[in-house]
Amino acid sequence: MRGSLIMEAVRWAFPCARWAPGRDDWSLCARCVQPEEKQRIAQFMFNRDAKAAMAGRLLIRKLIAEKLQIPWDKIVLDRSAKGKPFLVSGIPPHIPNFSFNVSHQGDFAVLAAESELQVGVDIMKTDRPGTDLAIWLHNAALVKALVSLG
């Protein structure tokens, strides 16, 4: 079944500011990430930053579980020397260039993933009128097209 998967580009955004996990929910989230991820998240000074970081890690795990069909408890992540997360093993041979990245700031955590291109994502809160996360997400196809031009 894994060999028949075709992965489309993924662009997800999660509204962290609206997420208000209770103690039980937070405990469940903490059990879904690796111990070193949990420790890193616990070091945030502000609760909103810890929530956003947790949301980002859960987005990564949801992506891998859904798109690569790797069970949550089998997902092992690490970070590159520059801090970019990557999947340690389990990348299917038909998606050898699987790439993903997350970013969080302000009210959102965002994730971008590609099966054939290296991907990076960054989010920045701005107060400029006319700026909207949805515009960025919908323009991802335009960015991909421009990159392919060379």
Short mmCIF file of all heavy atoms in Angstrom, two decimals, residues 76-128:
data_model
loop_
_atom_site.label_atom_id
_atom_site.label_comp_id
_atom_site.label_asym_id
_atom_site.label_seq_id
_atom_site.Cartn_x
_atom_site.Cartn_y
_atom_site.Cartn_z
N VAL A 76 10.48 8.78 14.24
CA VAL A 76 11.65 9.30 14.95
C VAL A 76 12.17 10.50 14.18
O VAL A 76 12.53 10.40 13.00
CB VAL A 76 12.76 8.22 15.07
CG1 VAL A 76 13.98 8.79 15.78
CG2 VAL A 76 12.23 6.98 15.79
N LEU A 77 12.16 11.63 14.86
CA LEU A 77 12.62 12.88 14.26
C LEU A 77 13.95 13.29 14.88
O LEU A 77 14.25 12.96 16.02
CB LEU A 77 11.59 13.99 14.51
CG LEU A 77 10.19 13.75 13.94
CD1 LEU A 77 9.22 14.79 14.46
CD2 LEU A 77 10.22 13.75 12.42
N ASP A 78 14.70 14.05 14.10
CA ASP A 78 15.94 14.64 14.59
C ASP A 78 16.03 16.03 13.98
O ASP A 78 15.15 16.44 13.22
CB ASP A 78 17.15 13.78 14.21
CG ASP A 78 18.34 14.01 15.13
OD1 ASP A 78 18.33 14.96 15.94
OD2 ASP A 78 19.30 13.23 15.03
N ARG A 79 17.08 16.76 14.32
CA ARG A 79 17.29 18.10 13.77
C ARG A 79 18.64 18.16 13.08
O ARG A 79 19.61 17.58 13.56
CB ARG A 79 17.24 19.15 14.87
CG ARG A 79 15.86 19.36 15.43
CD ARG A 79 15.86 20.46 16.49
NE ARG A 79 14.53 20.67 16.97
CZ ARG A 79 13.67 21.54 16.43
NH1 ARG A 79 14.01 22.28 15.42
NH2 ARG A 79 12.46 21.68 16.94
N SER A 80 18.68 18.90 11.98
CA SER A 80 19.95 19.11 11.28
C SER A 80 20.81 20.06 12.12
O SER A 80 20.36 20.62 13.12
CB SER A 80 19.69 19.73 9.90
OG SER A 80 19.26 21.07 10.04
N ALA A 81 22.05 20.26 11.68
CA ALA A 81 22.95 21.18 12.38
C ALA A 81 22.36 22.59 12.45
O ALA A 81 22.65 23.35 13.38
CB ALA A 81 24.31 21.21 11.69
N LYS A 82 21.51 22.93 11.47
CA LYS A 82 20.88 24.25 11.45
C LYS A 82 19.53 24.27 12.16
O LYS A 82 18.84 25.28 12.13
CB LYS A 82 20.73 24.74 10.01
CG LYS A 82 22.07 25.00 9.35
CD LYS A 82 21.89 25.56 7.97
CE LYS A 82 23.24 25.87 7.34
NZ LYS A 82 23.10 26.45 6.01
N GLY A 83 19.13 23.13 12.73
CA GLY A 83 17.90 23.08 13.51
C GLY A 83 16.66 22.66 12.75
O GLY A 83 15.57 22.62 13.31
N LYS A 84 16.79 22.33 11.47
CA LYS A 84 15.63 21.92 10.68
C LYS A 84 15.27 20.47 11.01
O LYS A 84 16.13 19.59 10.99
CB LYS A 84 15.93 22.05 9.18
CG LYS A 84 14.73 21.77 8.31
CD LYS A 84 15.02 22.04 6.85
CE LYS A 84 13.82 21.66 6.01
NZ LYS A 84 14.03 21.93 4.60
N PRO A 85 14.00 20.21 11.32
CA PRO A 85 13.61 18.84 11.65
C PRO A 85 13.64 17.93 10.41
O PRO A 85 13.40 18.38 9.29
CB PRO A 85 12.17 19.00 12.17
CG PRO A 85 11.68 20.25 11.55
CD PRO A 85 12.88 21.14 11.37
N PHE A 86 13.95 16.65 10.65
CA PHE A 86 13.89 15.68 9.56
C PHE A 86 13.52 14.31 10.12
O PHE A 86 13.71 14.03 11.31
CB PHE A 86 15.21 15.61 8.78
CG PHE A 86 16.39 15.07 9.55
CD1 PHE A 86 16.68 13.71 9.57
CD2 PHE A 86 17.21 15.93 10.26
CE1 PHE A 86 17.78 13.22 10.27
CE2 PHE A 86 18.32 15.45 10.98
CZ PHE A 86 18.59 14.08 10.98
N LEU A 87 12.96 13.48 9.26
CA LEU A 87 12.57 12.12 9.60
C LEU A 87 13.81 11.24 9.52
O LEU A 87 14.47 11.20 8.49
CB LEU A 87 11.48 11.64 8.64
CG LEU A 87 10.94 10.23 8.84
CD1 LEU A 87 10.29 10.08 10.21
CD2 LEU A 87 9.94 9.91 7.73
N VAL A 88 14.12 10.52 10.60
CA VAL A 88 15.33 9.71 10.66
C VAL A 88 15.28 8.53 9.71
O VAL A 88 16.24 8.24 9.02
CB VAL A 88 15.59 9.25 12.12
CG1 VAL A 88 16.74 8.26 12.18
CG2 VAL A 88 15.88 10.45 13.00
N SER A 89 14.14 7.83 9.66
CA SER A 89 14.03 6.68 8.76
C SER A 89 12.57 6.46 8.40
O SER A 89 11.67 7.02 9.02
CB SER A 89 14.60 5.42 9.41
OG SER A 89 13.85 5.10 10.57
N GLY A 90 12.35 5.62 7.39
CA GLY A 90 10.99 5.29 6.99
C GLY A 90 10.50 6.02 5.76
O GLY A 90 9.34 5.90 5.39
N ILE A 91 11.38 6.80 5.12
CA ILE A 91 10.96 7.51 3.90
C ILE A 91 10.82 6.48 2.79
O ILE A 91 11.77 5.76 2.48
CB ILE A 91 11.97 8.61 3.52
CG1 ILE A 91 12.05 9.65 4.64
CG2 ILE A 91 11.57 9.25 2.20
CD1 ILE A 91 13.11 10.70 4.43
N PRO A 92 9.64 6.39 2.17
CA PRO A 92 9.43 5.40 1.12
C PRO A 92 10.33 5.66 -0.09
O PRO A 92 10.64 6.82 -0.40
CB PRO A 92 7.96 5.59 0.74
CG PRO A 92 7.34 6.36 1.84
CD PRO A 92 8.44 7.15 2.47
N PRO A 93 10.73 4.61 -0.79
CA PRO A 93 11.63 4.78 -1.93
C PRO A 93 11.02 5.63 -3.06
O PRO A 93 11.75 6.27 -3.80
CB PRO A 93 11.89 3.36 -2.42
CG PRO A 93 11.12 2.45 -1.55
CD PRO A 93 10.44 3.23 -0.49
N HIS A 94 9.70 5.66 -3.16
CA HIS A 94 9.07 6.45 -4.23
C HIS A 94 8.96 7.94 -3.86
O HIS A 94 8.52 8.75 -4.66
CB HIS A 94 7.69 5.88 -4.60
CG HIS A 94 6.68 6.00 -3.50
ND1 HIS A 94 6.68 5.17 -2.40
CD2 HIS A 94 5.65 6.86 -3.33
CE1 HIS A 94 5.68 5.51 -1.61
NE2 HIS A 94 5.05 6.53 -2.15
N ILE A 95 9.39 8.31 -2.64
CA ILE A 95 9.42 9.72 -2.21
C ILE A 95 10.79 10.00 -1.59
O ILE A 95 10.91 10.41 -0.44
CB ILE A 95 8.30 10.03 -1.19
CG1 ILE A 95 6.94 9.54 -1.67
CG2 ILE A 95 8.23 11.54 -0.93
CD1 ILE A 95 5.81 9.77 -0.68
N PRO A 96 11.86 9.80 -2.34
CA PRO A 96 13.20 9.92 -1.75
C PRO A 96 13.57 11.33 -1.31
O PRO A 96 14.44 11.51 -0.46
CB PRO A 96 14.12 9.43 -2.86
CG PRO A 96 13.38 9.71 -4.11
CD PRO A 96 11.93 9.49 -3.77
N ASN A 97 12.91 12.34 -1.87
CA ASN A 97 13.24 13.73 -1.54
C ASN A 97 12.22 14.37 -0.61
O ASN A 97 12.08 15.59 -0.57
CB ASN A 97 13.36 14.55 -2.83
CG ASN A 97 14.49 14.06 -3.70
OD1 ASN A 97 15.55 13.72 -3.20
ND2 ASN A 97 14.25 13.98 -4.99
N PHE A 98 11.50 13.55 0.15
CA PHE A 98 10.50 14.04 1.09
C PHE A 98 11.10 15.12 1.98
O PHE A 98 12.15 14.94 2.59
CB PHE A 98 9.99 12.87 1.94
CG PHE A 98 9.02 13.27 3.01
CD1 PHE A 98 7.76 13.72 2.69
CD2 PHE A 98 9.38 13.18 4.35
CE1 PHE A 98 6.86 14.08 3.68
CE2 PHE A 98 8.49 13.54 5.35
CZ PHE A 98 7.23 13.98 5.01
N SER A 99 10.46 16.27 2.02
CA SER A 99 10.97 17.41 2.77
C SER A 99 9.80 18.13 3.44
O SER A 99 8.72 18.26 2.85
CB SER A 99 11.69 18.36 1.81
OG SER A 99 12.10 19.53 2.47
N PHE A 100 10.02 18.59 4.65
CA PHE A 100 8.99 19.34 5.37
C PHE A 100 9.67 20.36 6.27
O PHE A 100 10.86 20.26 6.57
CB PHE A 100 8.11 18.40 6.21
CG PHE A 100 8.85 17.68 7.29
CD1 PHE A 100 9.00 18.23 8.55
CD2 PHE A 100 9.42 16.44 7.04
CE1 PHE A 100 9.71 17.57 9.54
CE2 PHE A 100 10.12 15.77 8.03
CZ PHE A 100 10.27 16.33 9.28
N ASN A 101 8.88 21.33 6.70
CA ASN A 101 9.37 22.31 7.65
C ASN A 101 8.18 22.93 8.35
O ASN A 101 7.07 22.95 7.81
CB ASN A 101 10.22 23.37 6.96
CG ASN A 101 11.19 24.05 7.92
OD1 ASN A 101 11.17 23.84 9.13
ND2 ASN A 101 12.05 24.89 7.37
N VAL A 102 8.42 23.45 9.54
CA VAL A 102 7.38 24.12 10.32
C VAL A 102 7.91 25.46 10.81
O VAL A 102 9.12 25.68 10.90
CB VAL A 102 6.92 23.29 11.54
CG1 VAL A 102 6.23 22.03 11.12
CG2 VAL A 102 8.05 23.02 12.49
N SER A 103 6.97 26.32 11.13
CA SER A 103 7.31 27.61 11.72
C SER A 103 6.12 28.02 12.59
O SER A 103 4.98 27.62 12.32
CB SER A 103 7.54 28.65 10.62
OG SER A 103 7.86 29.92 11.17
N HIS A 104 6.40 28.78 13.62
CA HIS A 104 5.31 29.29 14.45
C HIS A 104 5.66 30.67 14.97
O HIS A 104 6.81 30.96 15.29
CB HIS A 104 4.97 28.33 15.60
CG HIS A 104 6.13 27.96 16.46
ND1 HIS A 104 6.57 28.74 17.50
CD2 HIS A 104 6.95 26.89 16.43
CE1 HIS A 104 7.59 28.16 18.09
NE2 HIS A 104 7.86 27.04 17.45
N GLN A 105 4.67 31.51 14.96
CA GLN A 105 4.78 32.84 15.56
C GLN A 105 3.38 33.43 15.62
O GLN A 105 2.52 33.11 14.79
CB GLN A 105 5.70 33.76 14.77
CG GLN A 105 5.92 35.07 15.51
CD GLN A 105 6.76 36.07 14.75
OE1 GLN A 105 6.81 36.06 13.54
NE2 GLN A 105 7.42 36.94 15.48
N GLY A 106 3.17 34.26 16.59
CA GLY A 106 1.87 34.91 16.70
C GLY A 106 0.78 33.88 16.92
O GLY A 106 0.89 33.01 17.77
N ASP A 107 -0.25 33.95 16.11
CA ASP A 107 -1.43 33.12 16.30
C ASP A 107 -1.37 31.77 15.59
O ASP A 107 -2.31 30.99 15.72
CB ASP A 107 -2.67 33.86 15.80
CG ASP A 107 -2.94 35.13 16.61
OD1 ASP A 107 -2.44 35.26 17.74
OD2 ASP A 107 -3.67 35.99 16.09
N PHE A 108 -0.33 31.50 14.80
CA PHE A 108 -0.33 30.31 13.96
C PHE A 108 0.94 29.48 14.06
O PHE A 108 2.02 30.00 14.31
CB PHE A 108 -0.51 30.70 12.48
CG PHE A 108 -1.88 31.17 12.14
CD1 PHE A 108 -2.21 32.51 12.19
CD2 PHE A 108 -2.87 30.26 11.78
CE1 PHE A 108 -3.48 32.94 11.88
CE2 PHE A 108 -4.14 30.69 11.48
CZ PHE A 108 -4.45 32.03 11.53
N ALA A 109 0.75 28.19 13.80
CA ALA A 109 1.85 27.27 13.48
C ALA A 109 1.55 26.83 12.06
O ALA A 109 0.39 26.54 11.72
CB ALA A 109 1.87 26.07 14.42
N VAL A 110 2.57 26.81 11.19
CA VAL A 110 2.36 26.41 9.80
C VAL A 110 3.33 25.29 9.44
O VAL A 110 4.41 25.18 10.01
CB VAL A 110 2.53 27.59 8.82
CG1 VAL A 110 1.47 28.65 9.06
CG2 VAL A 110 3.92 28.20 8.90
N LEU A 111 2.92 24.48 8.48
CA LEU A 111 3.73 23.38 7.98
C LEU A 111 3.66 23.39 6.47
O LEU A 111 2.60 23.63 5.89
CB LEU A 111 3.21 22.05 8.52
CG LEU A 111 3.91 20.81 7.97
CD1 LEU A 111 4.12 19.78 9.07
CD2 LEU A 111 3.10 20.18 6.84
N ALA A 112 4.79 23.13 5.84
CA ALA A 112 4.85 22.94 4.39
C ALA A 112 5.61 21.64 4.15
O ALA A 112 6.57 21.33 4.86
CB ALA A 112 5.56 24.11 3.71
N ALA A 113 5.18 20.87 3.15
CA ALA A 113 5.86 19.62 2.81
C ALA A 113 5.80 19.41 1.31
O ALA A 113 4.84 19.82 0.65
CB ALA A 113 5.23 18.44 3.53
N GLU A 114 6.84 18.77 0.78
CA GLU A 114 6.95 18.46 -0.64
C GLU A 114 7.52 17.07 -0.80
O GLU A 114 8.32 16.62 0.03
CB GLU A 114 7.88 19.45 -1.34
CG GLU A 114 7.35 20.86 -1.45
CD GLU A 114 6.30 21.01 -2.54
OE1 GLU A 114 6.20 20.13 -3.42
OE2 GLU A 114 5.58 22.02 -2.52
N SER A 115 7.16 16.42 -1.88
CA SER A 115 7.71 15.09 -2.15
C SER A 115 8.95 15.15 -3.03
O SER A 115 9.76 14.22 -3.02
CB SER A 115 6.65 14.21 -2.81
OG SER A 115 6.24 14.77 -4.04
N GLU A 116 9.12 16.24 -3.79
CA GLU A 116 10.23 16.30 -4.74
C GLU A 116 11.15 17.50 -4.57
O GLU A 116 12.22 17.54 -5.15
CB GLU A 116 9.68 16.29 -6.17
CG GLU A 116 8.93 15.01 -6.49
CD GLU A 116 8.38 15.01 -7.90
OE1 GLU A 116 8.88 15.76 -8.75
OE2 GLU A 116 7.45 14.24 -8.15
N LEU A 117 10.73 18.49 -3.80
CA LEU A 117 11.51 19.72 -3.65
C LEU A 117 11.89 19.92 -2.19
O LEU A 117 11.14 19.55 -1.29
CB LEU A 117 10.69 20.94 -4.09
CG LEU A 117 10.18 20.95 -5.53
CD1 LEU A 117 9.21 22.10 -5.71
CD2 LEU A 117 11.34 21.06 -6.49
N GLN A 118 13.03 20.53 -1.94
CA GLN A 118 13.35 20.96 -0.58
C GLN A 118 12.42 22.12 -0.24
O GLN A 118 12.17 22.99 -1.08
CB GLN A 118 14.81 21.41 -0.49
CG GLN A 118 15.79 20.27 -0.52
CD GLN A 118 15.64 19.36 0.69
OE1 GLN A 118 15.61 19.82 1.82
NE2 GLN A 118 15.51 18.07 0.44
N VAL A 119 11.91 22.12 0.96
CA VAL A 119 10.94 23.14 1.33
C VAL A 119 11.37 23.79 2.64
O VAL A 119 11.94 23.15 3.52
CB VAL A 119 9.51 22.55 1.42
CG1 VAL A 119 9.37 21.59 2.58
CG2 VAL A 119 8.47 23.63 1.53
N GLY A 120 11.10 25.06 2.73
CA GLY A 120 11.30 25.81 3.96
C GLY A 120 10.09 26.69 4.16
O GLY A 120 9.42 27.06 3.19
N VAL A 121 9.79 27.01 5.38
CA VAL A 121 8.64 27.86 5.66
C VAL A 121 8.99 28.75 6.84
O VAL A 121 9.72 28.34 7.74
CB VAL A 121 7.36 27.03 5.93
CG1 VAL A 121 7.50 26.17 7.16
CG2 VAL A 121 6.13 27.91 6.03
N ASP A 122 8.52 29.97 6.79
CA ASP A 122 8.71 30.88 7.90
C ASP A 122 7.45 31.72 8.01
O ASP A 122 6.84 32.07 7.00
CB ASP A 122 9.93 31.77 7.67
CG ASP A 122 10.48 32.36 8.96
OD1 ASP A 122 9.94 32.03 10.04
OD2 ASP A 122 11.43 33.13 8.89
N ILE A 123 7.08 32.02 9.21
CA ILE A 123 5.90 32.84 9.43
C ILE A 123 6.32 34.01 10.32
O ILE A 123 7.15 33.85 11.22
CB ILE A 123 4.75 32.03 10.06
CG1 ILE A 123 3.48 32.86 10.17
CG2 ILE A 123 5.15 31.44 11.39
CD1 ILE A 123 2.27 32.03 10.55
N MET A 124 5.76 35.16 10.01
CA MET A 124 6.09 36.35 10.78
C MET A 124 4.82 37.15 10.98
O MET A 124 4.09 37.42 10.02
CB MET A 124 7.13 37.18 10.04
CG MET A 124 7.53 38.42 10.77
SD MET A 124 8.89 39.33 9.98
CE MET A 124 8.28 39.58 8.34
N LYS A 125 4.56 37.50 12.21
CA LYS A 125 3.40 38.33 12.50
C LYS A 125 3.69 39.75 12.02
O LYS A 125 4.78 40.27 12.24
CB LYS A 125 3.11 38.32 13.99
CG LYS A 125 1.86 39.06 14.35
CD LYS A 125 1.52 38.90 15.81
CE LYS A 125 0.31 39.75 16.11
NZ LYS A 125 -0.63 39.09 16.95
N THR A 126 2.71 40.33 11.37
CA THR A 126 2.87 41.69 10.89
C THR A 126 1.60 42.48 11.16
O THR A 126 0.52 41.90 11.22
CB THR A 126 3.22 41.72 9.39
OG1 THR A 126 3.32 43.08 8.97
CG2 THR A 126 2.19 41.02 8.56
N ASP A 127 1.74 43.75 11.30
CA ASP A 127 0.59 44.61 11.53
C ASP A 127 0.23 45.40 10.27
O ASP A 127 -0.63 46.27 10.31
CB ASP A 127 0.88 45.60 12.68
CG ASP A 127 1.05 44.87 14.00
OD1 ASP A 127 0.38 43.84 14.19
OD2 ASP A 127 1.85 45.33 14.83
N ARG A 128 0.90 45.08 9.17
CA ARG A 128 0.62 45.79 7.92
C ARG A 128 -0.77 45.44 7.40
O ARG A 128 -1.13 44.28 7.36
CB ARG A 128 1.65 45.42 6.86
CG ARG A 128 3.00 46.00 7.15
CD ARG A 128 4.04 45.67 6.08
NE ARG A 128 3.49 45.61 4.76
CZ ARG A 128 3.92 44.77 3.82
NH1 ARG A 128 4.87 43.91 4.09
NH2 ARG A 128 3.39 44.78 2.62
#
